[in-house]
Each structure stands twice: as structure tokens, then as C-alpha cells.
Amino acid sequence: MPDIVLATLNAKYIHASFGLRYLMANLGGLRERACMAEFHINQTPLEITEAILLHEPHIVGFGMYIWNVQQTTEVVALLKRIRPELIVILGGPEVSYETDGQEIVALADHVITGEADVKFAEVCTALLGDAAPLPKVIAAELPPLDQLASPYDFYTDEDLAHRVVYVEASRGCPFTCEFCLSSLDVPVRAFPLDAFLAAMQRLLERGATQFKFVDRTFNLHLPTSMGILQFFLDRWRDGLFLHFEMIPDRLPEQLRALIRRFPPGAVQFEVGIQTFDDATSKNISRRQNLERLADNLRFLREETGVHVHADLIVGLPGEGMESFGRGFDRLVALGPQEIQVGMLKRLRGTPIVRHDAEFAMRYAPHPPYEILATRDIAFPDMQRLRRFARYWDIVANSGQFTTTLPLLLQVGSRKSEVGTDGASDPSDFRLPTSEFRLPPSPFSSFLRFSDWLHATLHRTHQIALQTIAQGLFDFLTGENGADRATVAAALEADWRRTPGRETLTLRGMPAAPAPAKPAAIRTARRQARHTQAH
Ligand code: B12
Ligand code: SF4
């Protein structure tokens, strides 16, 4: 039986815990006395507790993140009730700052803050030997990356076949965005590139196809970014998929030339933009060159097959509904395949708290500590934007309605502005007051749809795609007075893009004939749907 169990609750089964694999790899002589136990947040605390206790460990280490702190607190409470002598060690970003007052910290024996790759082994050695008692909170020094044992062999064949494989060529971020935990991770440190690429080679040989880089800013150091891209390009095979996080205003010509050479949909860039408002950028200490950003996004969309996933944040200090809307419209015009609208979260340790008083920032007290209201966005409007984000994900980011979406976003499409074809009457839906301040634009058009959809369905989750299609039809033809045949044809085209589907039936339209011969069924990936549409 292992003396040490390294456990964590992942956000979903498909996400393997990278942090635990580092700790396992660097346990040295204790490695044979340890095992990993990964769970996901939808498993019950009792089931998790039972599985951990089956190992009869002396020490359990938990990887703590914003997505698992509530459930892990229950697990630790159960473990301590059943086996009070069990030593519980916590680590990870959620317990690396503001440890005072956290329920789970009170329940645990030790907390190791920061990068614990090496420190965890040291602490376990001390606890399993007869060293002097250790303090409750132990700070890990930054580990020397060139001396760390590689974690990649701890991805099993099952991980490689069914889960996202996380990899990293560097740690830390030189930027100081106040909402982000990585702003505290200075300085930037790189893993030796040759050893890193050798590890990637082994993963490729073992059949890995999906590589998700967790480097905060992939395009920070040009020779390294180019070395990595060239490495994968030289070994390219069908089915490979690479994901990188990048800063949007740095894409020199040498990097552009390499990026152009990847096949469509094979590379995804997550581009953090967060806000287009200068004053807001200043408030959160984020520097970006908006002109270069626009030029780079245009390049990526027009000259490459890269899937661009751009992030905006709702609720930043100083950003109101209108300025957020203007930013959203600028981004829509730049045409990324996905716009991730995220609600601001107050992450433990981040300096954004300095704005709490001036901007009346109100965050939920429980994880994920989402913004509820600010000086510039009252709670009812924040709720509208939260729903906007959710519906945008379902309708736009999903890639399911790429033909219909432009009909919804086109400016000047309201019934009052373009007249009506005399179709169904609008429901008793009323526009919320702040709507009247917003000029017609993709943002205000989608916000109207989002308000209407919520007033009609009263929910934002568990909505069948057929229900969304009907909602789009009813809104566009009823509220916007669009031509019924045009909308039905667009929805039909979207529907048929996924082969093998039943015919789309829309209330208020005769059923369209089914296609003569269904095409072969392919894996329906979000990226693939966007690629087919553009
Ligand atoms: C992969 C990832 C995810 C995955 C989930 C992965 C999983 N296993 O389930 C997905 C994409 C789902 C995700 C989602 C979110 N994420 Co995320 N994510 C990451 C990311 C990019 C990589 C994590 C990683 O592997 N890092 C590399 C490893 C080596 O570092 P590490 O995990 O921190 O581990 C080290 C230490 O923490 C410590 N440690 C770890 N485990 C243990 C265990 C013990 C016992 C000890 C002693 C120490 C220890 O030692 C490790 C080695 O140095 C990080 C950013 C980053 N680059 O780290 C953000 C990050 C973890 N995510 C973050 C956030 C905010 C989110 C979201 C809320 C974002 C959003 N949507 O708004 C969501 C929440 C999801 C939900 N359901 O609620 C924050 C976390 C803040 C927090 N307090 O936890 C981070 C740090 C990003 C940031 N810069 O702000 N995320
Ligand atoms: S948001 Fe991105 S650029 Fe800013 S500190 Fe975080 S990781 Fe760095």
C-alpha cells in the first residue's frame, strides 16, 4: 500500500492534472511509496473519500484550484472524521495566497504555497521520518526548472488517448494584469528547450495528438516559439492539434511565416484581449497595443488556418455596459472564430482588490468568486451580461449557427427599423431600460436576443439545440421581422452541416425535405465546424 496519495479533483474527466504529475516525478526515493488518485468535481465527496482510504495512506496531498475547493473541503472533512491521524497536505493556486480564514486550511495539517515540485518531497520525507514538527504553512522556493524531473512519463496511455495533455515550455508571465494570478508569477523561466522537445518527441511516439501549452505567453521569446512550432511542423501528421495562449500584439514576420504553414484548424491560439477600453486597461495595469493587435488578428483570420479564440472580461473596474459593448463590436469586426466572454473573478492573491472601494466591486463570496455588480454595471445588467455570455457560447462559439448568426448580428435589423413581414406578434417581452442607450450593433442585437431568449425559456442550461434553433427562428422573424423563408433556409443550412441529423422541424414553417444521401459521420469538433463555415 502507498504511504502517500497525491489527489485532486479535475474540472472534468478529460482534464488530466499536470501539477500532480510534476510532484510525482520529483518525489525521488519516495516515488515507489506514492500513487496518484485523480477524480473530477462531479463525483460525490463520499465516493472520493472511500477511494482514497482504500489505499490506507499516511499522507494525502490535494491539488487545490478554484474549481475544486468546495468539494475538496467536504472530502477533507470526511477524511478527518474517519481517520483523524491521516496527514493532509494542501497545495495549488487556491491555497497559495490568503490562507487565513479558509475552511479547508483549518482542516488540513500543512499547506505548501507556490510551486511545490520539489518541496512536496522534502515535506513528506520530514513527515515520514522523525524530523522536528513543521509549520502549518510552508512556502516553496522557486524550483530550478533545469533540474526538475520530467512529468510527461506520468501521462498513461489512457491519458494520451482520451484526455487533454498539458505541456509547458516556460513558467511565469512578465505582465501585470491585476485580475490574473499569473501576474504574480515573476520572473519568466524557461525549461531547457532540447530536453523539452525530446519529451514532446516521446509523447508523439506514444501516440499523443492533442497538446495544450499552459505557458502564459507562448510568443514571448521568439527563438523558443519558433523552435516549438518548427518541431511540430516537421513531424506533422493528421489529427495533431496544438493549443497556445498568446499575447495579441506580438507576432513578428518570422513567426507569421511559420504559422501560415499549419493546416486549417490544427492550431488554436487563445488570445487574451480582456478589454478595448484604455482607461480600464490602465486600471488593471494591462499594456497592449490595440493597433498591432487588430493587425495580428486580421493576419491570423485572413492568412492562416489558425483557430482564434479571443477573450473579453465583463465587470473590470471602470468598464460599463456601453464600453464593453463597443469592445465586443470591435472584436466581432476582427472575426475570431470564438469570443470567450468571461465574468471577472476575484482570485485569491490578485491585486485587483485595490479597486474594491472606488469602483464598488461586489464579488460572490463563494468560488469562483464572480463579479455581481460594480459602480458601472448594476446587478440586473450584470445578470443580463452573464446570460449573454452563456447564450453566446451556445449560439456563436459552438459553431452550430454560422449561417444564421450574421442575420442576428446585422445592424438595423429591428422590426421598428426595417418594418415587418406581418409574421408572429412580439410576445410580452419588454426591452430592459439600459437597452435604449445602446446604439444598434452586433452587441446590442445579440443582447436583445439574449434578453428575449431568457424571457421565453427562463433558463440558460440544458437547452436542446432544436430549442435554440426554434428560438432563433421566432426571434428573427417575430421580433426582428426578418423574412421567414430566409431565416428557415439559414437554419436549415446550419442544421445540415452536421451529417446524420434528423430533419429540422420549425414551428410555423413546413418541414424541409431530408437530404438525398447522408454524408459520412465525422467527429463534430467545434474547431472543425468553424473551419467548414469560413
Ligand atoms: C489547465 C487549466 C484549467 C483547466 C482545468 C485543469 C484540470 N486539471 O481540471 C480548465 C481549462 C478546465 C480550467 C478552467 C478554469 N480555470 Co484554469 N487553468 C489551467 C492552467 C492553464 C494550467 C494549470 C497547470 O497545469 N499548470 C501547470 C502546473 C505545473 O502548475 P500548477 O497546476 O499550478 O501546479 C503547481 C502548484 O500549484 C503546486 N501544486 C499543484 N498541485 C499540488 C498538490 C499538492 C499536494 C501540493 C503541495 C502542491 C501542488 O505545485 C505544482 C507544481 O509547481 C492554469 C494557468 C497556469 N498556466 O498554471 C489556469 C488556472 C489554474 N485556472 C484558473 C482559473 C481562474 C480558471 C477558471 C475559473 C477560468 C474561467 N473560466 O473563468 C476556470 C474554472 C473552471 C470551473 N469549472 O470552474 C486560475 C486559478 C486560480 C485558482 N485559485 O485556482 C489559473 C491559475 C489561471 C490564472 N492565471 O489565473 N483551467
Ligand atoms: S492575463 Fe495573460 S498577460 Fe496578463 S498576467 Fe495573466 S497570463 Fe500574463
Side-chain angles (χ1 to χ4, degrees):
M1 288 290 180
D3 287 317
I4 304 164
V5 170
L6 264 171
T8 198
L9 281 62
N10 294 312
K12 284 186 190 156
Y13 165 76
I14 52 152
H15 300 288
S17 169
F18 194 26
L20 284 197
R21 284 164 175 75
Y22 267 107
L23 266 55
M24 264 309 267
N26 288 281
L27 270 174
L30 288 178
R31 202 190 296 163
E32 303 308 313
R33 295 168 66 184
C35 76
M36 274 194 315
E38 283 183 276
F39 305 93
H40 56 82
I41 54 175
N42 293 320
Q43 291 180 258
T44 67
L46 263 180
E47 169 188 349
I48 296 170
T49 304
E50 187 180 8
I52 291 173
L53 288 180
L54 272 181
H55 294 290
E56 297 178 22
H58 290 300
I59 298 175
V60 183
F62 282 103
M64 302 300 310
Y65 298 85
I66 196 168
W67 57 81
N68 67 21
V69 58
Q70 274 176 323
Q71 297 86 333
T72 314
T73 305
E74 284 190 51
V75 173
V76 174
L78 290 169
L79 285 171
K80 282 290 188 182
R81 278 286 161 94
I82 303 165
R83 286 257 324 264
E85 75 288 3
L86 182 71
I87 301 173
V88 173
I89 305 179
L90 309 175
E94 185 65 6
V95 293
S96 285
Y97 304 90
E98 302 176 26
T99 45
D100 286 352
Q102 284 205 56
E103 193 184 341
I104 194 161
V105 172
L107 290 167
D109 297 277
H110 300 284
V111 179
I112 305 179
T113 61
E115 297 176 26
D117 312 69
V118 179
K119 199 67 170 184
F120 183 68
E122 269 175 48
V123 170
C124 288
T125 307
L127 291 172
L128 292 171
D130 47 10
L134 296 171
K136 176 140 186 170
V137 180
I138 303 162
E141 304 80 35
L142 284 184
L145 298 190
D146 57 350
Q147 286 164 38
L148 286 188
S150 166
Y152 300 106
D153 286 346
F154 287 89
Y155 284 120
T156 62
D157 290 344
E158 193 191 324
D159 294 336
L160 299 189
H162 302 295
R163 306 174 84 188
V164 181
V165 170
Y166 291 104
V167 302
E168 66 177 352
S170 66
R171 285 189 185 170
C173 181
F175 299 100
T176 52
C177 317
E178 291 181 22
F179 58 86
C180 175
L181 211 49
S182 300
S183 63
L184 308 175
D185 283 353
V186 271
V188 180
R189 293 149 294 141
F191 285 86
L193 188 58
D194 290 347
F196 173 76
L197 293 179
M200 297 303 100
Q201 180 67 37
R202 279 195 299 280
L203 286 178
L204 281 171
E205 284 161 9
R206 289 178 59 203
T209 52
Q210 311 242 329
F211 293 79
K212 189 161 177 184
F213 281 73
V214 299
D215 300 52
R216 277 55 160 195
T217 39
F218 167 71
N219 53 336
L220 198 60
H221 184 241
L222 190 60
T224 309
S225 330
M226 290 186 58
I228 291 172
L229 286 179
Q230 188 66 58
F231 170 87
F232 282 101
L233 203 53
D234 292 344
R235 291 157 184 79
W236 197 258
R237 59 178 186 234
D238 272 358
L240 266 188
F241 177 72
L242 308 175
H243 170 108
F244 301 102
E245 297 193 14
M246 63 175 289
I247 40 168
D249 50 6
R250 187 181 305 205
L251 218 47
E253 187 45 47
Q254 300 104 299
L255 205 53
R256 286 184 170 207
L258 261 181
I259 295 169
R260 272 193 201 97
R261 296 172 52 199
F262 282 86
V267 173
Q268 176 161 291
F269 281 161
E270 187 164 334
V271 183
I273 296 170
Q274 323 307 6
T275 178
F276 278 95
D277 184 59
D278 284 339
T280 307
S281 291
K282 215 162 157 212
N283 288 341
I284 57 165
S285 313
R286 188 176 166 89
R287 291 172 271 136
Q288 65 191 359
N289 181 327
L290 293 176
E291 264 168 46
R292 259 194 282 153
L293 175 154
D295 184 49
N296 286 335
L297 282 191
R298 246 179 244 116
F299 157 76
L300 290 172
R301 290 299 284 121
E302 288 167 15
E303 296 180 42
T304 75
V306 168
H307 185 92
V308 180
H309 181 149
D311 297 336
L312 286 179
I313 298 182
V314 172
L316 290 169
E319 182 118 283
M321 185 102 148
E322 283 150 80
S323 104
F324 177 81
R326 278 194 301 274
F328 183 87
D329 289 336
R330 277 177 80 169
L331 191 49
V332 168
L334 293 169
Q337 287 92 336
E338 294 193 37
I339 299 178
Q340 184 69 47
V341 178
M343 305 304 292
L344 176 64
K345 295 169 184 66
R346 212 267 302 150
L347 305 182
R348 288 178 186 277
T350 52
I352 198 153
V353 284
R354 74 185 179 99
H355 297 296
D356 282 5
E358 187 184 351
F359 294 95
M361 310 294 284
R362 301 278 180 270
Y363 299 95
H366 300 294
Y369 319 110
E370 272 190 9
I371 191 75
L372 300 171
T374 67
R375 185 195 69 185
D376 300 282
I377 305 181
F379 178 66
D381 277 341
M382 200 66 90
Q383 285 294 88
R384 292 173 69 200
L385 290 170
R386 209 181 305 281
R387 290 191 284 268
F388 178 105
R390 172 73 190 143
Y391 291 140
W392 180 263
D393 214 31
I394 299 175
V395 174
N397 291 341
S398 68
Q400 294 283 1
F401 296 101
T402 45
T403 309
T404 311
L405 189 64
L407 300 180
L408 188 59
L409 299 188
Q410 73 197 9
V411 175
S413 61
R414 292 183 198 184
K415 203 172 198 169
S416 56
E417 289 154 4
V418 295
T420 169
D421 65 353
S424 61
D425 280 328
S427 61
D428 59 356
F429 164 70
R430 298 275 176 274
L431 291 176
T433 44
S434 48
E435 175 68 16
F436 296 111
R437 298 198 306 266
L438 299 170
S441 75
F443 173 70
S444 62
S445 302
F446 197 85
L447 187 62
R448 286 182 70 245
F449 170 67
S450 166
D451 289 338
W452 177 89
L453 195 64
H454 186 250
T456 308
L457 298 179
H458 309 289
R459 65 182 194 280
T460 52
H461 286 78
Q462 295 186 316
I463 311 174
L465 219 53
Q466 163 78 45
T467 309
I468 295 286
Q470 184 70 52
L472 283 164
F473 181 76
D474 291 346
F475 179 82
L476 283 166
T477 59
E479 294 297 320
N480 278 6
D483 175 62
R484 296 159 71 80
T486 309
V487 177
L491 285 165
E492 187 63 31
D494 285 332
W495 201 252
R496 292 249 171 94
R497 203 167 294 122
T498 302
R501 265 191 185 150
E502 299 280 301
T503 310
L504 177 66
T505 326
L506 292 169
R507 264 189 325 274
M509 282 302 285
K517 189 165 163 260
I521 299 183
R522 290 183 44 210
T523 328
R525 274 190 29 217
R526 246 159 123 110
Q527 290 85 357
R529 281 194 291 269
H530 286 289
T531 310
Q532 286 162 32
H534 291 273

